[in-house]
Amino acid sequence: AQSVTQLDSHVSVSEGTPVLLRCNYSSSYSPSLFWYVQHPNKGLQLLLKYTSAATLVKGINGFEAEFKKSETSFHLTKPSAHMSDAAEYFCVVMGTGGGNKLTFGTGTQLKVEL
Amino acid sequence: DSGVTQTPKHLITATGQRVTLRCSPRSGDLSVYWYQQSLDQGLQFLIQYYNGEERAKGNILERFSAQQFPDLHSELNLSSLELGDSALYFCASSTGVSTEAFFGQGTRLTVV
């Protein structure tokens, strides 16, 4: 079975500094991986997806993630944090075989300070 | 706006009662998924339908059931409600069975 582990439950950065949210995955095959963001009292929004094409994936709002098979990682980065980036971020792996349920990580709460 | 519509946005009900949550997928999407988000369990997959048929099942309780209708909207029925069923219930849709999912705003269920 596939799974993802988000290594930090909380990350705090200053506005204008880089963001790094870490995610490791476990899968017996080449996985489809996603990052979703959830702002307070909002639904889940897809930030970006990896589906075995380019290993560096660009998403919305300046976010990107790099798929590293050797490290089984899919870390999310942004060069410069903005106050509006404060939210909860979920790393997600898609299953196969009889459906494509999404398995969510436990989430990383990103705090952006002035 | 993801294009996935969930109603109602909020629901407060008493223990033992039954409620129905409704989801309208994005236009053209054939797959519908239901997820439960709670503080202690995180985001848990409940069930998936594809073009009216159940496709995958997750940690869905026997007290819960779902269906997808010919017009592709879906309903999640929760019965004999307990306090622990209080959670945010999300519906998501996708075009096929191996494509990214788009989530609705959720229905916040409070059982008192």
Side-chain angles (χ1 to χ4, degrees), chain A residues 70-99:
Chain A
S70 59
E71 299 176 11
T72 61
S73 69
F74 189 57
H75 301 334
L76 182 70
T77 60
K78 182 173 181 178
S80 176
H82 191 271
M83 293 297 289
S84 61
D85 295 327
E88 187 151 26
Y89 292 79
F90 293 93
C91 182
V92 182
V93 63
M94 178 185 285
T96 61

mmCIF file of all heavy atoms in Angstrom, chain A residues 70-99:
data_model
loop_
_atom_site.group_PDB
_atom_site.id
_atom_site.type_symbol
_atom_site.label_atom_id
_atom_site.label_comp_id
_atom_site.label_asym_id
_atom_site.label_seq_id
_atom_site.Cartn_x
_atom_site.Cartn_y
_atom_site.Cartn_z
ATOM 1 N N SER A 70 15.290 8.482 -5.752
ATOM 2 C CA SER A 70 16.358 7.912 -4.924
ATOM 3 C C SER A 70 16.135 8.226 -3.443
ATOM 4 O O SER A 70 16.564 7.470 -2.571
ATOM 5 C CB SER A 70 17.714 8.449 -5.368
ATOM 6 O OG SER A 70 17.742 9.861 -5.259
ATOM 7 N N GLU A 71 15.467 9.334 -3.169
ATOM 8 C CA GLU A 71 15.211 9.743 -1.791
ATOM 9 C C GLU A 71 13.752 9.508 -1.390
ATOM 10 O O GLU A 71 13.388 9.816 -0.250
ATOM 11 C CB GLU A 71 15.561 11.223 -1.613
ATOM 12 C CG GLU A 71 17.024 11.539 -1.889
ATOM 13 C CD GLU A 71 17.338 13.025 -1.811
ATOM 14 O OE1 GLU A 71 16.482 13.802 -1.340
ATOM 15 O OE2 GLU A 71 18.439 13.416 -2.238
ATOM 16 N N THR A 72 12.968 9.003 -2.291
ATOM 17 C CA THR A 72 11.506 8.836 -2.102
ATOM 18 C C THR A 72 10.898 10.089 -1.485
ATOM 19 O O THR A 72 10.163 10.039 -0.491
ATOM 20 C CB THR A 72 11.154 7.590 -1.259
ATOM 21 O OG1 THR A 72 11.730 7.718 0.052
ATOM 22 C CG2 THR A 72 11.637 6.323 -1.911
ATOM 23 N N SER A 73 11.241 11.231 -2.086
ATOM 24 C CA SER A 73 10.757 12.503 -1.551
ATOM 25 C C SER A 73 10.027 13.305 -2.608
ATOM 26 O O SER A 73 10.235 13.126 -3.813
ATOM 27 C CB SER A 73 11.918 13.327 -0.992
ATOM 28 O OG SER A 73 12.769 13.771 -2.040
ATOM 29 N N PHE A 74 9.197 14.203 -2.128
ATOM 30 C CA PHE A 74 8.418 15.100 -2.997
ATOM 31 C C PHE A 74 8.197 16.376 -2.201
ATOM 32 O O PHE A 74 7.098 16.721 -1.823
ATOM 33 C CB PHE A 74 7.104 14.436 -3.407
ATOM 34 C CG PHE A 74 6.338 15.175 -4.473
ATOM 35 C CD1 PHE A 74 6.903 15.459 -5.706
ATOM 36 C CD2 PHE A 74 5.021 15.555 -4.254
ATOM 37 C CE1 PHE A 74 6.193 16.123 -6.689
ATOM 38 C CE2 PHE A 74 4.295 16.219 -5.237
ATOM 39 C CZ PHE A 74 4.881 16.507 -6.447
ATOM 40 N N HIS A 75 9.275 17.092 -1.957
ATOM 41 C CA HIS A 75 9.221 18.296 -1.127
ATOM 42 C C HIS A 75 8.642 19.477 -1.899
ATOM 43 O O HIS A 75 8.929 19.661 -3.088
ATOM 44 C CB HIS A 75 10.612 18.662 -0.615
ATOM 45 C CG HIS A 75 11.274 17.587 0.198
ATOM 46 N ND1 HIS A 75 10.550 16.630 0.901
ATOM 47 C CD2 HIS A 75 12.581 17.322 0.427
ATOM 48 C CE1 HIS A 75 11.385 15.820 1.514
ATOM 49 N NE2 HIS A 75 12.627 16.209 1.247
ATOM 50 N N LEU A 76 7.899 20.297 -1.205
ATOM 51 C CA LEU A 76 7.266 21.488 -1.776
ATOM 52 C C LEU A 76 8.090 22.717 -1.406
ATOM 53 O O LEU A 76 8.469 22.869 -0.236
ATOM 54 C CB LEU A 76 5.843 21.631 -1.231
ATOM 55 C CG LEU A 76 5.018 22.807 -1.751
ATOM 56 C CD1 LEU A 76 4.639 22.589 -3.210
ATOM 57 C CD2 LEU A 76 3.760 22.990 -0.892
ATOM 58 N N THR A 77 8.363 23.568 -2.388
ATOM 59 C CA THR A 77 9.158 24.762 -2.127
ATOM 60 C C THR A 77 8.540 25.991 -2.771
ATOM 61 O O THR A 77 7.744 25.902 -3.708
ATOM 62 C CB THR A 77 10.599 24.605 -2.655
ATOM 63 O OG1 THR A 77 10.540 24.388 -4.085
ATOM 64 C CG2 THR A 77 11.317 23.451 -2.003
ATOM 65 N N LYS A 78 8.936 27.136 -2.224
ATOM 66 C CA LYS A 78 8.566 28.428 -2.815
ATOM 67 C C LYS A 78 9.690 29.380 -2.474
ATOM 68 O O LYS A 78 10.130 29.428 -1.321
ATOM 69 C CB LYS A 78 7.235 28.916 -2.268
ATOM 70 C CG LYS A 78 6.784 30.234 -2.888
ATOM 71 C CD LYS A 78 5.371 30.622 -2.461
ATOM 72 C CE LYS A 78 4.968 31.926 -3.123
ATOM 73 N NZ LYS A 78 3.586 32.341 -2.800
ATOM 74 N N PRO A 79 10.175 30.148 -3.435
ATOM 75 C CA PRO A 79 11.349 30.990 -3.174
ATOM 76 C C PRO A 79 11.099 32.086 -2.140
ATOM 77 O O PRO A 79 12.000 32.426 -1.364
ATOM 78 C CB PRO A 79 11.656 31.615 -4.551
ATOM 79 C CG PRO A 79 10.949 30.767 -5.533
ATOM 80 C CD PRO A 79 9.760 30.198 -4.844
ATOM 81 N N SER A 80 9.883 32.622 -2.128
ATOM 82 C CA SER A 80 9.610 33.771 -1.272
ATOM 83 C C SER A 80 8.189 33.677 -0.722
ATOM 84 O O SER A 80 7.221 33.744 -1.482
ATOM 85 C CB SER A 80 9.789 35.062 -2.076
ATOM 86 O OG SER A 80 9.451 36.187 -1.308
ATOM 87 N N ALA A 81 8.073 33.522 0.576
ATOM 88 C CA ALA A 81 6.753 33.351 1.196
ATOM 89 C C ALA A 81 5.983 34.665 1.241
ATOM 90 O O ALA A 81 6.554 35.745 1.435
ATOM 91 C CB ALA A 81 6.915 32.804 2.605
ATOM 92 N N HIS A 82 4.695 34.516 1.099
ATOM 93 C CA HIS A 82 3.782 35.658 1.213
ATOM 94 C C HIS A 82 2.798 35.369 2.329
ATOM 95 O O HIS A 82 2.504 34.211 2.624
ATOM 96 C CB HIS A 82 3.046 35.851 -0.125
ATOM 97 C CG HIS A 82 2.284 37.135 -0.209
ATOM 98 N ND1 HIS A 82 0.975 37.251 0.215
ATOM 99 C CD2 HIS A 82 2.654 38.355 -0.659
ATOM 100 C CE1 HIS A 82 0.565 38.485 0.027
ATOM 101 N NE2 HIS A 82 1.568 39.182 -0.503
ATOM 102 N N MET A 83 2.287 36.436 2.939
ATOM 103 C CA MET A 83 1.344 36.248 4.059
ATOM 104 C C MET A 83 0.169 35.362 3.660
ATOM 105 O O MET A 83 -0.328 34.560 4.461
ATOM 106 C CB MET A 83 0.829 37.596 4.535
ATOM 107 C CG MET A 83 1.878 38.489 5.176
ATOM 108 S SD MET A 83 2.548 37.754 6.670
ATOM 109 C CE MET A 83 1.138 37.916 7.776
ATOM 110 N N SER A 84 -0.251 35.489 2.414
ATOM 111 C CA SER A 84 -1.413 34.714 1.949
ATOM 112 C C SER A 84 -1.112 33.220 1.813
ATOM 113 O O SER A 84 -2.031 32.429 1.573
ATOM 114 C CB SER A 84 -1.901 35.258 0.603
ATOM 115 O OG SER A 84 -0.874 35.141 -0.366
ATOM 116 N N ASP A 85 0.163 32.833 1.958
ATOM 117 C CA ASP A 85 0.517 31.405 1.876
ATOM 118 C C ASP A 85 0.212 30.665 3.174
ATOM 119 O O ASP A 85 0.288 29.427 3.205
ATOM 120 C CB ASP A 85 2.004 31.229 1.545
ATOM 121 C CG ASP A 85 2.361 31.747 0.170
ATOM 122 O OD1 ASP A 85 1.496 31.659 -0.738
ATOM 123 O OD2 ASP A 85 3.490 32.248 -0.005
ATOM 124 N N ALA A 86 -0.090 31.386 4.237
ATOM 125 C CA ALA A 86 -0.385 30.741 5.521
ATOM 126 C C ALA A 86 -1.615 29.852 5.367
ATOM 127 O O ALA A 86 -2.704 30.324 5.007
ATOM 128 C CB ALA A 86 -0.628 31.792 6.585
ATOM 129 N N ALA A 87 -1.421 28.578 5.601
ATOM 130 C CA ALA A 87 -2.483 27.589 5.375
ATOM 131 C C ALA A 87 -1.945 26.225 5.794
ATOM 132 O O ALA A 87 -0.807 26.102 6.244
ATOM 133 C CB ALA A 87 -2.890 27.554 3.898
ATOM 134 N N GLU A 88 -2.782 25.199 5.605
ATOM 135 C CA GLU A 88 -2.326 23.835 5.840
ATOM 136 C C GLU A 88 -2.084 23.175 4.491
ATOM 137 O O GLU A 88 -2.889 23.310 3.569
ATOM 138 C CB GLU A 88 -3.347 23.042 6.647
ATOM 139 C CG GLU A 88 -2.833 21.654 7.057
ATOM 140 C CD GLU A 88 -3.445 21.155 8.348
ATOM 141 O OE1 GLU A 88 -4.558 21.584 8.674
ATOM 142 O OE2 GLU A 88 -2.804 20.304 9.004
ATOM 143 N N TYR A 89 -0.982 22.462 4.396
ATOM 144 C CA TYR A 89 -0.572 21.837 3.147
ATOM 145 C C TYR A 89 -0.533 20.326 3.310
ATOM 146 O O TYR A 89 -0.007 19.806 4.297
ATOM 147 C CB TYR A 89 0.806 22.364 2.721
ATOM 148 C CG TYR A 89 0.773 23.818 2.326
ATOM 149 C CD1 TYR A 89 0.755 24.815 3.297
ATOM 150 C CD2 TYR A 89 0.716 24.202 0.989
ATOM 151 C CE1 TYR A 89 0.688 26.160 2.948
ATOM 152 C CE2 TYR A 89 0.660 25.530 0.620
ATOM 153 C CZ TYR A 89 0.642 26.504 1.605
ATOM 154 O OH TYR A 89 0.572 27.835 1.241
ATOM 155 N N PHE A 90 -1.096 19.645 2.330
ATOM 156 C CA PHE A 90 -1.174 18.190 2.375
ATOM 157 C C PHE A 90 -0.438 17.576 1.197
ATOM 158 O O PHE A 90 -0.683 17.947 0.039
ATOM 159 C CB PHE A 90 -2.637 17.719 2.338
ATOM 160 C CG PHE A 90 -3.429 18.091 3.553
ATOM 161 C CD1 PHE A 90 -4.171 19.260 3.588
ATOM 162 C CD2 PHE A 90 -3.432 17.268 4.675
ATOM 163 C CE1 PHE A 90 -4.905 19.612 4.714
ATOM 164 C CE2 PHE A 90 -4.162 17.600 5.803
ATOM 165 C CZ PHE A 90 -4.894 18.776 5.822
ATOM 166 N N CYS A 91 0.422 16.636 1.489
ATOM 167 C CA CYS A 91 1.065 15.814 0.477
ATOM 168 C C CYS A 91 0.188 14.588 0.285
ATOM 169 O O CYS A 91 -0.312 14.006 1.266
ATOM 170 C CB CYS A 91 2.459 15.410 0.959
ATOM 171 S SG CYS A 91 3.408 14.431 -0.210
ATOM 172 N N VAL A 92 -0.042 14.208 -0.963
ATOM 173 C CA VAL A 92 -1.033 13.174 -1.255
ATOM 174 C C VAL A 92 -0.491 12.205 -2.302
ATOM 175 O O VAL A 92 0.140 12.627 -3.272
ATOM 176 C CB VAL A 92 -2.330 13.829 -1.794
ATOM 177 C CG1 VAL A 92 -3.400 12.778 -2.049
ATOM 178 C CG2 VAL A 92 -2.833 14.886 -0.832
ATOM 179 N N VAL A 93 -0.754 10.918 -2.108
ATOM 180 C CA VAL A 93 -0.388 9.911 -3.103
ATOM 181 C C VAL A 93 -1.653 9.255 -3.612
ATOM 182 O O VAL A 93 -2.605 9.041 -2.852
ATOM 183 C CB VAL A 93 0.580 8.862 -2.511
ATOM 184 C CG1 VAL A 93 -0.044 8.073 -1.366
ATOM 185 C CG2 VAL A 93 1.089 7.912 -3.595
ATOM 186 N N MET A 94 -1.663 8.977 -4.896
ATOM 187 C CA MET A 94 -2.834 8.353 -5.500
ATOM 188 C C MET A 94 -2.615 6.859 -5.622
ATOM 189 O O MET A 94 -1.559 6.418 -6.091
ATOM 190 C CB MET A 94 -3.105 8.945 -6.887
ATOM 191 C CG MET A 94 -4.280 8.313 -7.610
ATOM 192 S SD MET A 94 -4.475 8.935 -9.282
ATOM 193 C CE MET A 94 -5.156 10.540 -8.952
ATOM 194 N N GLY A 95 -3.641 6.095 -5.227
ATOM 195 C CA GLY A 95 -3.573 4.653 -5.344
ATOM 196 C C GLY A 95 -3.963 4.196 -6.725
ATOM 197 O O GLY A 95 -4.441 4.972 -7.537
ATOM 198 N N THR A 96 -3.781 2.905 -6.959
ATOM 199 C CA THR A 96 -4.179 2.315 -8.234
ATOM 200 C C THR A 96 -4.894 1.014 -7.955
ATOM 201 O O THR A 96 -4.930 0.532 -6.832
ATOM 202 C CB THR A 96 -2.976 2.003 -9.144
ATOM 203 O OG1 THR A 96 -2.134 1.070 -8.479
ATOM 204 C CG2 THR A 96 -2.210 3.257 -9.464
ATOM 205 N N GLY A 97 -5.472 0.464 -8.981
ATOM 206 C CA GLY A 97 -6.109 -0.839 -8.825
ATOM 207 C C GLY A 97 -7.480 -0.726 -8.211
ATOM 208 O O GLY A 97 -7.632 -0.674 -7.008
ATOM 209 N N GLY A 98 -8.498 -0.658 -9.058
ATOM 210 C CA GLY A 98 -9.863 -0.617 -8.537
ATOM 211 C C GLY A 98 -10.288 0.741 -8.055
ATOM 212 O O GLY A 98 -11.220 0.846 -7.276
ATOM 213 N N GLY A 99 -9.614 1.740 -8.474
ATOM 214 C CA GLY A 99 -9.992 3.087 -8.043
ATOM 215 C C GLY A 99 -8.745 3.892 -7.809
ATOM 216 O O GLY A 99 -7.646 3.367 -7.819
#
